[in-house]
Amino acid sequence: MNFQQLRSVRETVRQGFNLTQVADALHTSQPGVSRQIKELEDELGAELFVRAGRRFLGLTPTGELALPIIERLLQEAENLRRVAADFVQSDSGMLTVAATHTQARYALPTAVRDFRDSHPRVSLHLQQGSPRQIAEMVASGAADLGIATEALSDYPDLVTLPCYRWSHVVVVPRGHELAQLQQPLTLEQLAQFPLVTYEPGYTGRRHIDEAFERAGLDIDVVLSAMDADVIKTYVDLGIGVGIVASVAFDEARDDHLVALDARHLFALNTTRVAIKRGAVLRGFVLEFIQTFAPTLTREVVASAMAAKPGEEVEG
């Protein structure tokens, strides 16, 4: 039994049992993948995959039981490499951070700058994606940590910690009738206008929809996007009234728009950092987390990693 055999099994499941894609992912040949899996099955004395000719259709009952063990073995092998690397070169290496556009554009720049100043020998890679893509990158080991507002807490394989809370603002062009209000904005007033806001599943969109649903109000979302800058562009063109994260509005840069307080309209959102459960984190990974969210000290992260799935650990 060897790690290449275990990787072949794990990657076959990850690639939806498509051996061509498995071979590409492992930088080997399709016959090589089949051979590695067959040698492991021969050693175990049981088939791990349901086959139709040369095609793999799914996992056998034995395969279903074996997969979590294979995942743990490969995770511990990676942990061993990280422990050795951290001992030999604790101040150098590669850090991969997966984040949504909002986090990468508005929340992360200062932390990235400060981390680079203190860790010049660490190569930092920033991957962007949807909240679910970010969760999957962290769970698969493709990213060391993920930062997003939605979805991360839905994955039991991830440990998630709250970083900060934020609210939405309503944005309109200068001269818009909502900008002339002398009283706090209401949902009823907002529902009278076409809206431009985030895609479902992004940047607190769930709290926006829930607020209108609770009030029994129908809304007309004429345009949705992942990017707050795109939303503000279309608001400026008069397409509709925008709802964006408060961190995405800058009075100096967005001086052609007016931001209206919406903290009383929509629930607060919590941005979280996610790390893979059971992973050994190199020192500079922990230091990046604390640079981004100062309350998330090494001790807080260690406590969260030791907690059972579902237990909330506050920074």
Side-chain angles (χ1 to χ4, degrees), residues 95 97-100 102-116 118-119 124 126 145-149 152 161-166 247 270-274 284-297 301:
L95 170 61
V97 178
T100 60
T102 297
Q103 301 302 324
R105 171 69 178 81
Y106 300 106
L108 275 171
T110 300
V112 169
R113 180 200 63 199
D114 293 347
F115 180 81
R116 286 289 302 137
S118 59
H119 297 78
L124 202 155
L126 188 59
L145 59 95
I147 300 172
T149 299
L152 296 184
L161 299 102
C163 299
Y164 66 94
R165 290 187 171 186
W166 55 270
V247 70
T270 302
T271 290
R272 297 176 179 274
V273 63
F284 59 71
V285 178
L286 294 166
E287 288 160 18
F288 181 88
I289 292 172
Q290 190 170 0
T291 300
F292 178 64
T295 60
L296 299 183
T297 62
V301 174

Side-chain angles (χ1 to χ4, degrees), residues 55-74:
R55 294 174 55 232
F56 285 23
L57 303 181
L59 287 168
T60 64
T62 301
E64 294 281 0
L65 293 172
L67 183 62
I69 299 172
I70 290 171
E71 292 275 9
R72 286 198 299 272
L73 288 170
L74 292 172

